[in-house]
Amino acid sequence: MLSEKQKLVLIIFLTIAFLSYSVYLYTFLPYKQRKISEQCVKGMDLWQKYNCNACHQVYGLGGYLGPDLTNVYSKRGPEYIAAFLQSGTQIMPKFNFSEDEIKSLLAFLEMMDKSGKADPRTYKINKDGTIEY
Ligand code: HEC
């Protein structure tokens, strides 16, 4: 059995360990490590303002009229996307974006592309059952 003094030391030790680990965790949160440019934030605002998600999906969530755009940046490239946004198609509306707005949307799509892969078929499954993408 632990003496009263030993119990006190143990409680103090555990409290300090808990507090230090909490401070460590909240100081190095993953989202704080990632720097998002202002252009990218503007792109995200445009994405919401024009409701691209009504027709497009991100990680499979969204409307199903158009394709999933999570990895469109690496799949199609910026020139293709810019051309698409400038001219629209019969089904995709033409939004009359300015040069700067197109750059912002490209920055947003690039950031989203780097966040991971949306298509589960492109995952690599390891022998221990974990996945890499
Ligand atoms: C009314 C529905 C609709 C909205 C809103 C919409 N899109 Fe689309 N989008 C489509 C459709 C449908 C296609 C496929 C068009 C085609 O192949 O003719 C498409 C295609 C695209 C493509 C090409 C994808 C590829 O792999 O070929 C990009 C990039 C794109 N949209 C970006 C956007 C962005 C950015 C927004 C918001 C500013 C947006 N779209 C809003 C319907 C929409």
Side-chain angles (χ1 to χ4, degrees), residues 21-29 32:
Y21 193 55
S22 299
V23 168
Y24 168 77
L25 278 183
Y26 283 98
T27 320
F28 297 102
L29 285 175
K32 287 188 180 167

Side-chain angles (χ1 to χ4, degrees), residues 37-50:
S37 68
E38 223 159 88
Q39 188 111 61
C40 181
V41 175
K42 256 199 238 166
M44 195 158 65
D45 288 345
L46 289 167
W47 176 270
Q48 285 170 351
K49 184 175 165 192
Y50 291 95

